[in-house]
Amino acid sequence: MESLEQYMKQLTAAAAQDAAFREDIPHGEWRAKLTASFTGRLGGLPEERAALAPVRLERVACNGYIRERVEITTYEGLRMAMYLLIPGQPLSSPCPAILAIHGHGYGSREITGLHPDGSQRQGGPGLHKDFAVSLVKQGFVVAAPEMLGFGDRRLAEDLESGEPGRNSCFRLSSALLMAGQTMAGYRIYESMRALDYLQMREEVNGERLGIMGISGGGLVAGFTAALDQRITCAVVSGYANTFADSILTRNHCLDNYIPGILLEAEMPDLLGLIAPRGLFLESGDADPLFGPAGAKQALDRLETIYNAAGHGGEVEADFFAGGHEIHGEPAYAWLQKKLAGA
């Protein structure tokens, strides 16, 4: 008798194999079909967008940039706060902009150099490496949205726990699943609304938009880019892999799971929807969650998809010595090349 582990591995592998990208199908046809089925598995996206109704909560002069805290409407009846980081020097023309998507931790403050209470952080930056601050210092306007379930956007029981890193992912994800929705779908759509807001700002060149995320934020960054053509290029850090070698090897947060997704595609195929636009992967050789073996399989698959789209050079990777963390410099140089023409 096979072990339960062997049985489940065979079951999921068979589902993914049936949905695999095929080079004998025209890329455009494949892309259109998978985009529609992926959107459905996420729970669908609203056909009509609510008015953003932006409100500025703070404006602070920082070292070399301006930091604003802004709140917008995403879904009708649901508000989302975000940090907007604007280069401090007088802008002669609108700048390229990047959405910076945090992973698990204490939310948007963790990538903008702040403590959970909003005060300036003095200690180390952790796995996120304050990458939103690094990006604004590269000359980009940066929006760092507070993902649903983190920071200020947690359930009362978690806000009142006194534990800044305690999230509301499980209960919120469970409720969404019971309503035929997914946390991934909600976070992707809310990121699209952040793009709507960026395109309203006079400091932003709305034709040059990028996205970068780490870990669970890598999921959001990669899949938002897959479904929103406004995004010119994407950096996915500490996430790009195969489901078989990452999500299905351990207990992960419930926000990682999309019902029936293996009947549609493996993770590299979903990220392949970004083609022919630019995609850059970061993967640490000691990442225990999204390890290098699966990341290299993902890159191989993505190269096949990009070649089929006629843009084989548009997918690149940085396999660095490190763990589950932002690496940074090679990705920032790549973003400069893609968005600023550097």
Side-chain angles (χ1 to χ4, degrees):
M1 177 182 293
E2 292 181 342
S3 70
L4 185 56
E5 288 80 5
Q6 289 173 319
Y7 177 80
M8 296 306 295
K9 186 174 183 179
Q10 291 175 3
L11 176 68
T12 54
Q17 182 61 42
D18 288 344
F21 170 75
R22 289 169 45 193
E23 293 180 78
D24 60 331
I25 299 175
H27 181 266
E29 179 183 329
W30 168 82
R31 190 186 189 286
K33 181 178 179 181
L34 181 54
T35 297
S37 60
F38 182 28
T39 302
R41 295 289 181 183
L42 289 169
L45 301 175
E47 293 183 3
E48 296 185 9
R49 299 192 174 187
L52 289 171
V55 174
R56 189 169 73 192
L57 306 177
E58 71 171 38
R59 182 177 172 88
V60 179
C62 300
N63 182 21
Y65 62 96
I66 303 296
R67 185 183 72 234
E68 294 186 1
R69 183 79 164 170
V70 178
E71 187 179 76
I72 63 170
T73 296
T74 54
Y75 289 83
E76 191 68 50
L78 187 62
R79 300 282 284 175
M80 178 179 74
M82 72 178 88
Y83 282 111
L84 191 72
L85 309 183
I86 305 165
Q89 69 272 19
L91 303 179
S92 59
S93 61
C95 298
I98 296 177
L99 275 184
I101 312 296
H102 66 79
H104 283 71
Y106 60 83
S108 59
R109 294 182 176 94
E110 191 162 3
I111 65 173
T112 51
L114 302 174
H115 285 299
D117 64 1
S119 61
Q120 199 69 36
R121 192 192 322 106
Q122 302 302 322
L127 69 91
H128 289 86
K129 307 286 182 67
D130 291 339
F131 75 95
V133 176
S134 295
L135 288 169
V136 73
K137 290 185 174 181
Q138 294 280 327
F140 300 112
V141 174
V142 182
E146 192 94 275
M147 292 288 99
L148 187 61
F150 296 101
D152 296 338
R153 306 186 72 212
R154 293 179 290 164
L155 296 168
E157 63 191 59
D158 299 314
L159 283 167
E160 295 165 3
S161 71
E163 303 173 38
R166 176 171 163 175
N167 63 63
S168 298
C169 292
F170 185 84
R171 279 194 58 196
L172 291 174
S173 297
S174 300
L176 288 170
L177 289 171
M178 293 290 279
Q181 300 292 310
T182 63
M183 183 64 89
Y186 260 61
R187 289 175 179 165
I188 290 165
Y189 182 70
E190 290 199 317
S191 297
M192 293 177 177
R193 298 314 316 272
L195 287 176
D196 292 341
Y197 177 72
L198 279 174
Q199 290 189 310
M200 292 174 55
R201 296 287 301 227
E202 63 180 9
E203 304 94 338
V204 172
N205 182 338
E207 299 300 314
R208 294 189 175 190
L209 301 174
I211 193 167
M212 179 173 180
I214 170 73
S215 192
L219 178 157
V220 178
F223 294 163
T224 302
L227 297 177
D228 196 320
Q229 296 288 314
R230 292 177 294 177
I231 295 174
T232 301
C233 57
V235 174
V236 178
S237 179
Y239 180 74
N241 213 276
T242 67
F243 290 127
D245 289 301
S246 59
I247 302 302
L248 295 178
T249 62
R250 64 184 65 236
N251 291 327
H252 276 270
C253 182
L254 189 59
D255 61 7
N256 281 289
Y257 300 92
I258 302 169
I261 194 59
L262 284 177
L263 300 176
E264 310 299 341
E266 246 286 1
M267 189 194 300
D269 291 350
L270 299 173
L271 294 173
L273 293 174
I274 299 171
R277 292 163 292 141
L279 174 59
F280 189 94
L281 314 181
E282 281 193 342
S283 176
D285 62 4
D287 189 332
L289 303 177
F290 298 89
K296 289 174 182 175
Q297 288 183 48
L299 179 62
D300 288 345
R301 185 70 171 165
L302 283 161
E303 287 175 341
T304 297
I305 294 170
Y306 270 77
N307 285 331
H311 291 267
E314 289 298 313
V315 58
E316 299 183 39
D318 173 22
F319 293 101
F320 63 92
H324 188 62
E325 59 188 309
I326 289 283
H327 189 213
E329 294 304 328
Y332 303 150
W334 182 85
L335 285 166
Q336 284 283 356
K337 180 175 67 174
K338 293 297 181 184
L339 293 173

